[in-house]
Amino acid sequence: AGNYDRVGIVSNLIKYIDDVSVYGRVDEAVLNSNNKFKGEVSFNKINDIMKESKMSLLVPIKKGWVTSKYVECLMNDVLPIFYEDYNYKLLGIHKDDMCVVRNAQELQEVVAFYSNNEYERKHKIDFLKNKLLKQYSDGKILSNTIMSLLVK
């Protein structure tokens, strides 16, 4: 069994990226040894930070999990970058998608590409919003659910 070393994975993934801040609950030892880790902040503060961000790395709490973080990213026009352990397949994202990374080198390449290509970053965000969020925000899912209950 063993624990999923999320902090270790994130530390390794971001090693080639200078301009990065990692938020969330970590041990004091991590905060003292790696200045990229900023610790836990309030929900409002993280939302303010996200509004100023271009991209966010999504590493699951446990391998194979999906969280709502990708929704928060897209709603704030932040490009989600999925670590391979995140269950991006559940979202219909292919393993060869540029937003799925397996190691620090791939993350560095993706960050460099989207940092230098704002049009591509915004286009990818729009594509993901359309693919992952539109069906929930345009009322289609709710309408279909209600109609399926009424038809019975």
Side-chain angles (χ1 to χ4, degrees):
N3 288 339
Y4 186 72
D5 184 14
R6 191 175 187 211
V7 172
I9 290 167
V10 171
S11 295
N12 186 51
L13 287 169
I14 64 173
K15 66 185 173 189
Y16 301 132
I17 301 174
D18 295 324
D19 185 18
V20 66
S21 297
V22 179
Y23 295 92
R25 190 178 308 140
V26 292
D27 293 337
E28 199 69 33
V30 174
L31 291 174
N32 294 333
S33 67
N34 188 335
N35 65 359
K36 293 176 181 178
F37 284 84
K38 308 301 182 191
E40 199 168 11
V41 296
S42 72
F43 182 77
N44 289 338
K45 173 90 171 143
I46 201 69
N47 276 338
D48 290 343
I49 292 165
M50 191 163 286
K51 288 179 177 117
E52 302 298 316
S53 302
K54 300 270 188 194
M55 293 167 254
S56 184
L57 175 64
L58 280 58
V59 176
I61 297 162
K62 288 188 175 178
K63 186 174 182 168
W65 281 25
V66 172
T67 64
S68 61
K69 185 58 75 178
Y70 75 94
V71 175
E72 294 171 36
C73 288
L74 294 172
M75 294 306 292
N76 285 291
D77 292 325
V78 174
L79 181 65
I81 300 172
F82 303 95
Y83 177 56
E84 68 177 346
D85 286 353
Y86 197 93
N87 196 347
Y88 56 86
K89 294 177 220 84
L90 190 65
L91 305 176
I93 296 171
H94 192 269
K95 69 180 176 67
D96 293 329
D97 190 291
M98 192 170 178
C99 287
V100 176
V101 297
R102 287 162 272 287
N103 55 53
Q105 181 69 38
E106 287 183 8
L107 179 62
Q108 182 185 32
E109 290 168 7
V110 169
V111 168
F113 175 79
Y114 285 116
S115 294
N116 294 316
N117 293 282
E118 184 63 8
Y119 171 82
E120 292 293 337
R121 188 185 73 83
K122 286 183 174 175
H123 181 74
K124 185 68 170 185
I125 289 169
D126 288 343
F127 171 80
L128 290 171
K129 278 182 178 179
N130 196 40
K131 179 180 181 71
L132 302 175
L133 304 182
K134 186 171 187 268
Q135 61 185 337
Y136 297 101
S137 62
D138 69 3
K140 190 182 299 177
I141 296 283
L142 182 59
S143 175
N144 289 343
T145 301
I146 290 170
M147 292 308 289
S148 73
L149 295 172
L150 294 175
V151 171
K152 289 181 179 179

